[in-house]
Amino acid sequence: MDSTIYLLGVIMAILSGIANNYGTVLQKKVVNEHKNDEEFLKNIAKDKTWLLGLILQLAIGSVFFMVAQILIGPALVPGLMAAGLIVLAIGSVRILGETLKRDEYIGIIVMIMGILLLGMSELSIPTETLVLTDYVFTMSAFTVILVLSAIACKVAAKKINRVKALLLAIFSGFMFSLSNFWISPLMTVFEQMTFTPGYIAIFIIASVILVLSNIFGITELQKAFTSGQASNLIPVQQVPIQITPIFVYFLVFLQTALPMAFVYISIGVALIIISSFLLGKRQAQMEEIQK
């Protein structure tokens, strides 16, 4: 790969992470101001700062994300986007007035290390030779699993108030995992310029899922913000977002990897899970106090 193209892809991925997380900080700021309003969602949707955060996430961040995937592939992009967690941590303290304890700083660092290791596994799917219609069953099954997992989190959030914000954040993570998954087939249709009935159906399904998953993901995250810190919830939200690409690679598109990649994957997943506990522990304690 040309070094200039690779460098541009790296920059695009980092900018995507920064845009997404800075947008999250802006949205959380507005949520803090309106969380006691009767028409909470309606009021924040009218706020210019919240809308700017949404634009940074869905428009600017998504464009950087897609360009990065085209230039360097999907394997490295999530790890590079972890740079945005640094912006999240600084913004949470400076803009939102949140506080971070030592364990939470460690949690953010561990999360970044875990995501970077997943990126170092260099798992890449050759979309230019991928025949999507060969994977209809596995794609459908994976989609159903993600949706059911999200629904389980939503139901549990209604019944277990002590960890409601955490469960809503994980729900949001599953929704964005679904969105990230279906971006790849959508981009493959455009890259291959194949418009057979099967590919047209995939294009329509992908478009619908992308819209709905982003709407649900953003909406439930705003609800989570009413009782939780962004610096705690976003890293927890990242757990399904970062882990599901592994299942996509091996179980959906049936790809193989070098032995060293399994080492990176195993350590990376372990670090992400450890980070979620470090960042989620105090959030659960905060929600118990707020009951």
Side-chain angles (χ1 to χ4, degrees), residues 24 27 31 57 168-169 171-172 176 216-226 233-234 237:
T24 296
Q27 288 181 324
V31 169
Q57 288 180 318
L168 290 179
F171 171 92
S172 175
F176 287 124
F216 285 122
I218 290 172
T219 301
E220 295 306 312
L221 185 61
Q222 305 314 303
K223 294 178 181 178
F225 282 162
T226 61
L233 296 176
I234 296 303
Q237 178 206 45

Side-chain angles (χ1 to χ4, degrees), residues 2-204:
D2 184 85
S3 58
T4 303
I5 294 176
Y6 180 80
L7 179 60
L8 181 60
V10 168
I11 293 173
M12 290 294 104
I14 292 174
L15 288 176
S16 177
I18 291 173
N20 271 289
N21 282 280
Y22 187 62
T24 296
V25 172
L26 294 180
Q27 288 181 324
K28 171 61 174 168
K29 181 178 183 296
V30 176
V31 169
N32 287 349
E33 296 169 354
H34 295 278
K35 62 183 180 181
N36 294 322
D37 294 357
E38 290 185 5
E39 296 183 323
F40 164 67
L41 292 175
K42 182 178 180 180
N43 289 339
I44 64 172
K46 294 179 180 179
D47 192 289
K48 293 181 179 179
T49 301
W50 189 87
L51 291 173
L52 175 59
L54 185 66
I55 291 171
L56 283 169
Q57 288 180 318
L58 292 187
I60 300 175
S62 294
V63 169
F64 287 147
F65 172 77
M66 288 187 286
V67 172
Q69 280 210 335
I70 292 172
L71 294 177
I72 62 176
L76 194 59
V77 173
L80 294 170
M81 287 179 65
L85 292 176
I86 300 173
V87 174
L88 174 68
I90 296 173
S92 295
V93 174
R94 296 290 182 125
I95 298 176
L96 304 178
E98 296 181 354
T99 58
L100 295 176
K101 293 183 178 181
R102 184 184 64 179
D103 286 353
E104 291 162 332
Y105 280 113
I106 294 174
I108 291 174
I109 294 172
V110 170
M111 172 67 78
I112 292 173
M113 291 172 59
I115 296 172
L116 287 174
L117 281 172
L118 290 184
M120 288 173 61
S121 66
E122 298 183 356
L123 303 182
S124 61
I125 301 173
T127 56
E128 67 276 4
T129 59
L130 195 66
V131 181
L132 293 176
T133 49
D134 291 345
Y135 302 96
V136 171
F137 175 77
T138 53
M139 289 168 63
S140 300
F142 186 71
T143 298
V144 171
I145 291 171
L146 285 183
V147 171
L148 291 178
S149 298
I151 292 174
C153 288
K154 179 66 175 176
V155 172
K158 291 182 178 180
K159 296 182 177 180
I160 312 173
N161 195 57
R162 186 172 64 88
V163 289
K164 180 179 179 180
L166 289 177
L167 288 168
L168 290 179
I170 296 173
F171 171 92
S172 175
F174 278 121
M175 286 292 100
F176 287 124
S177 296
L178 191 61
S179 175
N180 292 343
F181 168 57
W182 279 96
I183 280 178
S184 294
L186 188 66
M187 292 175 64
T188 300
V189 171
F190 284 119
E191 286 179 33
Q192 297 183 359
M193 296 296 289
T194 303
F195 299 105
T196 62
Y199 270 57
I200 292 174
I202 289 173
F203 172 81
I204 294 172

Side-chain angles (χ1 to χ4, degrees), residues 266-277:
S266 299
I267 298 175
V269 169
L271 290 177
I272 289 174
I273 293 173
I274 291 171
S275 173
S276 70
F277 279 104

